[in-house]
Amino acid sequence: MCGIVGAIAERNVVSILLEGLKRLEYRGYDSAGVAVLDAQGQLQRVRRTGKVQELADALADNPIKGSTGIAHTRWATHGGVTEANAHPHFSTARVAVVHNGIIENYQSLREQLRAEGFHFSSDTDTETIAHQVELELKSTDSLLTAVQRAVKKFHGAYGTVVIDQQNPDSMVVARSGSPLVIGLGIDENFIASDQLALLPVTRRFIFLEEGDVARISRTEVHIFDQDGNEVLRPVHDSEIEHDAGDKGGYRHYMLKEIHEQPTVVRNTLQDRLTQSGVDPRIFGALAPDLLAKVKHVQIIACGTSYHSGMTARYWLEQYANVSCNVEIASEFRYRKSFVHPNSLLVTISQSGETADTLAALRLGKELGYMASLTICNVPGSSLVRESDLAFMTLAGAEIGVASTKAFTTQLTGLLMLTLALGQFNGMADNDQQKIVGALHSLPAKLEETLALTGNIEKLAEEFADKHHSLFLGRGDQYPIAMEGALKLKEISYIHAEAYASGELKHGPLALIDDEMPVIVVAPNNELLEKLKSNVEEVRARGGIMYVFADKDARFESDATMRVINLPHVDSVIAPIVYTLPLQLLSYYVAIIKGTDVDQPRNLAKSVTVE
Ligand code: M6R
């Protein structure tokens, strides 16, 4: 979704801003822009629709220079994809702003600001911020005071950065509902919506809290909380690798991230899984006390993270003996729900900033859940900071919009949560040993599975001209079928549906013909024979099947069925292992179709608006 970069320095900051925008491209956007205060103290701006490279080309043709500047990648919400709607937005020639989020009361603010004589040149909600700040500047010389007064008028979510031609030595930033991180340099400072944007210039960061407004100059940072009190926020050294934004020789980030899975799953297990299980403290210092009381788990997430939650429900109920509900965050937050006694609220998120998931966590606290735990990939993110307990997946920065390594590391963490909760709820010894053993074998099994890449690349050719597809699984492979379908539709734009295969005869069998490939995930588990009956139902209706099966599951390729054998794995980790061929299949189908794999159309990496 939208990205923000800002810098204040002695040097010209345009290249820093552009590099920052490039590093935020993965979040998804449809236009980009830069504004600086030049040597004469005038605001200069260049904006373009399309890619950051188009902005870079425009800047190469008509360079602008300045040591205070802001930049933005916009993912359209209010107003179409036009240059006029691209950020930064100006109010007269004095104030420039960039903004992530949505100002919900922008229509009424527009009317009031028009009545004050302000002219609107875009259809965006953001332009109201620029005019409102300029209006406030009529009664104060201080940009900080003006922004503090202005934000009180806004309803909705914002992460915003404001520069003012008459306050050239600082920029003022405000956060409410949309993350912002201050980057600390030597005699220069920065702001961004994501620390990844700033890694080439600093590794020292301050994460702003909800309601914070900060004044940033070259040498100083002053932060004020929502009551206007000056506060100190801790400085963090970034743990993200500097080269997180490189493709490492792979054609796409997504392919790199698929192939990183054995390593990042190993990292996620390392120092946490012993030969006998897990220490609950891997979920946080308070975890031993809190987890010991848990009798129910409520999981909340969106998209791929929701699929990992759905998978975890099978594990938690089967092995840890705790009941579990799983719900999409955007549904949970708008319905009346009941809180079970001793219920742990678990949010799952790669980014830690998904607006609906964060809102669901906050709602969960009001509803009185016993405690909250987040399974998250981004240290310092809002979900991590606002949850009682946190388990960090060590997937490293995930750049491809299609989530891959975040998913498998989430599953790895959730299986460790199953072990931890099982300790307090009578998990059978043999189940405990089985899960520990299977987790230890997981990285190697993932490596073996990736060796099938060439076969799957060939298989993809059979999908490229198809418009629809059906994914089938049973039990804990049903969410994996859902994840496979999400991956395919997301990056190849082929319509894909997933069904629990026992549901076939209740409707979807009517769709089966030779134009509807059916993808089946078939590990050798206790539901295999049931699944085989479903496979026969498809065969009898002329369906063409692609079966990812355990070597020992005894599926044979024939005229209507292509079988791809996977290494034999313990059924408890099969959902993690069977995810990889589905990711690869989607990737290679997308390659054949020539879609934008890393930044699929209409999608954003981090969905920070509702
Ligand atoms: O950052 P989160 O895990 O909270 O994001 C949730 C979804 O937006 C995300 O998983 C989305 O579905 C991915 N694009 C799927 O590949």
Side-chain angles (χ1 to χ4, degrees):
M1 230 150 232
C2 306
I4 286 176
V5 192
I8 185 157
E10 236 170 343
R11 53 181 166 156
N12 176 18
V13 295
V14 171
S15 60
I16 297 171
L17 298 175
L18 263 183
E19 173 62 19
L21 291 187
K22 284 189 180 144
R23 296 172 73 88
L24 294 182
E25 281 192 295
Y26 76 98
R27 295 166 66 97
Y29 69 102
D30 35 48
S31 58
V34 170
V36 291
L37 280 167
D38 70 12
Q40 288 69 46
Q42 304 301 312
L43 279 174
Q44 302 291 345
R45 168 175 72 181
V46 178
R47 300 178 291 177
R48 286 294 180 270
T49 57
K51 296 286 179 189
V52 172
Q53 190 52 48
E54 289 171 45
L55 176 68
D57 293 344
L59 282 163
D61 291 343
N62 293 296
I64 58 175
K65 274 188 180 172
S67 53
T68 300
I70 53 179
H72 191 263
T73 44
R74 171 176 187 255
W75 189 79
T77 56
H78 294 63
V81 182
T82 63
E83 199 168 301
N85 287 334
H87 302 208
H89 287 286
F90 286 1
S91 178
T92 68
R94 177 170 180 187
V95 170
V97 306
V98 289
H99 161 229
N100 287 359
I102 293 175
I103 303 298
E104 287 168 0
N105 57 334
Y106 80 106
Q107 291 286 21
S108 59
L109 287 173
R110 272 173 97 98
E111 281 165 30
Q112 290 163 27
L113 289 160
R114 274 205 187 100
E116 294 282 348
F118 287 98
H119 166 72
F120 281 82
S121 58
S122 77
D123 305 318
T124 64
D125 51 334
T126 301
E127 199 181 345
T128 57
I129 302 179
H131 294 316
Q132 190 68 45
V133 171
E134 181 146 358
L135 178 64
E136 305 295 345
L137 281 168
K138 290 184 193 296
S139 55
T140 174
D141 290 337
S142 157
L143 179 61
L144 173 70
T145 306
V147 173
Q148 283 172 319
R149 287 179 187 165
V151 295
K152 292 209 163 47
K153 310 257 171 26
F154 304 146
H155 302 162
Y158 52 84
T160 189
V161 186
V162 186
I163 56 174
D164 170 20
Q165 191 224 359
Q166 292 180 31
N167 282 280
D169 299 330
S170 63
M171 49 190 180
V172 174
V173 308
R175 177 205 164 136
S176 179
S178 227
L180 283 177
V181 59
I182 297 172
L184 302 172
I186 297 169
D187 283 345
E188 52 188 18
N189 286 314
F190 311 93
I191 184 80
S193 49
D194 181 333
Q195 54 181 306
L196 208 56
L198 301 178
L199 287 179
V201 285
T202 185
R203 303 192 62 80
R204 297 176 64 232
F205 293 102
I206 298 174
F207 298 99
L208 289 180
E209 302 274 333
E210 285 296 283
D212 282 355
V213 178
R215 179 182 176 276
I216 303 171
S217 69
R218 252 189 337 102
T219 51
E220 289 177 26
V221 171
H222 296 278
I223 302 173
F224 303 86
D225 67 13
Q226 55 196 354
D227 302 319
N229 302 314
E230 185 156 6
V231 284
L232 286 177
R233 304 278 181 228
V235 177
H236 299 267
D237 286 319
S238 176
E239 290 163 12
I240 297 180
E241 287 167 33
H242 180 58
D243 70 350
D246 295 341
K247 289 188 193 134
Y250 287 95
R251 184 166 166 192
H252 292 98
Y253 286 112
M254 182 180 176
L255 189 61
K256 171 181 176 242
E257 288 160 4
I258 290 173
H259 282 272
E260 279 173 350
Q261 289 176 106
T263 304
V264 295
V265 164
R266 193 174 283 116
N267 293 346
T268 299
L269 291 168
Q270 204 164 20
D271 301 330
R272 289 160 160 179
L273 180 73
T274 66
Q275 289 309 320
S276 56
V278 296
D279 183 329
R281 283 175 296 185
I282 64 174
F283 298 94
L286 303 175
D289 286 345
L290 291 175
L291 295 188
K293 297 183 198 137
V294 172
K295 293 292 169 222
H296 177 77
V297 173
Q298 171 68 58
I299 298 180
I300 306 282
C302 302
T304 288
S305 299
Y306 169 69
H307 296 153
S308 69
M310 283 188 70
T311 313
R313 182 174 66 164
Y314 290 89
W315 294 332
L316 289 166
E317 296 202 332
Q318 179 167 353
Y319 300 112
N321 302 317
V322 291
S323 58
C324 176
N325 289 340
V326 189
E327 191 159 3
I328 295 166
S330 55
E331 289 296 312
F332 175 79
R333 60 184 289 204
Y334 291 116
R335 73 177 182 87
K336 181 178 174 188
S337 61
F338 290 92
V339 182
H340 294 248
N342 291 53
S343 188
L344 176 71
L345 184 72
V346 176
T347 57
I348 308 173
S349 174
Q350 187 285 130
S351 61
E353 301 294 350
T354 300
D356 282 317
T357 312
L358 191 53
L361 167 65
R362 291 174 183 160
L363 172 66
K365 288 183 177 181
E366 284 168 26
L367 291 174
Y369 278 87
M370 191 194 81
S372 57
L373 162 69
T374 191
I375 310 279
C376 188
N377 194 42
V378 179
S381 60
S382 302
L383 281 174
V384 172
R385 285 182 290 113
E386 295 188 29
S387 299
D388 301 315
L389 306 174
F391 178 89
M392 301 314 304
T393 49
L394 300 179
E398 189 180 67
I399 307 290
V401 164
S403 191
T404 53
K405 61 179 181 169
F407 180 65
T408 46
T409 53
Q410 285 167 355
L411 289 173
T412 305
L414 286 161
L415 203 40
M416 286 195 270
L417 178 65
T418 305
L419 284 170
L421 288 174
Q423 285 173 32
F424 301 113
N425 289 284
M427 178 185 266
D429 282 350
N430 56 347
D431 280 343
Q432 161 127 3
Q433 282 155 19
K434 167 178 127 131
I435 296 173
V436 170
L439 277 173
H440 278 297
S441 72
L442 181 57
K445 293 295 179 187
L446 295 176
E447 263 156 25
E448 269 183 69
T449 307
L450 287 175
L452 296 169
T453 298
N455 302 3
I456 296 168
E457 188 173 357
K458 285 201 198 84
L459 190 70
E461 289 164 17
E462 299 184 30
F463 285 75
D465 63 340
K466 298 290 187 276
H467 299 290
H468 307 278
S469 59
L470 189 60
F471 285 70
L472 298 178
R474 289 195 80 128
D476 59 12
Q477 292 289 344
Y478 169 42
I480 302 309
M482 293 174 77
E483 174 59 11
L486 176 62
K487 287 285 92 82
L488 190 67
K489 71 183 108 176
E490 195 176 19
I491 60 166
S492 76
Y493 316 150
I494 293 175
H495 169 225
E497 281 199 63
Y499 263 90
S501 56
E503 273 290 290
L504 268 180
K505 56 177 91 59
H506 300 289
L509 266 185
L511 293 171
I512 302 295
D513 64 16
D514 59 6
E515 282 304 301
M516 173 81 131
V518 179
I519 298 96
V520 184
V521 273
N524 191 3
N525 62 17
E526 69 288 354
L527 291 171
L528 181 62
E529 294 310 317
K530 303 271 178 213
L531 183 77
K532 283 187 168 175
S533 304
N534 303 138
V535 164
E536 292 312 315
E537 290 164 6
V538 175
R539 193 200 297 278
R541 276 125 194 123
I544 306 292
M545 282 172 289
Y546 300 87
V547 183
F548 294 96
D550 188 284
K551 275 186 200 151
D552 303 336
R554 301 182 316 282
F555 281 98
E556 300 289 339
S557 290
D558 59 25
T560 59
M561 186 156 77
R562 284 277 301 275
V563 179
I564 298 92
N565 280 133
L566 269 68
H568 178 68
V569 295
D570 191 292
S571 62
V572 72
I573 55 164
I576 311 179
V577 174
Y578 279 66
T579 298
L580 271 53
L582 303 186
Q583 295 169 343
L584 286 165
L585 180 65
S586 300
Y587 175 78
Y588 285 110
V589 174
I591 291 295
I592 295 168
K593 294 198 71 182
T595 55
D596 190 343
V597 171
D598 284 331
Q599 290 162 35
R601 67 184 181 200
N602 305 337
L603 297 180
K605 179 67 181 163
S606 180
V607 183
T608 50
V609 294
E610 181 172 355

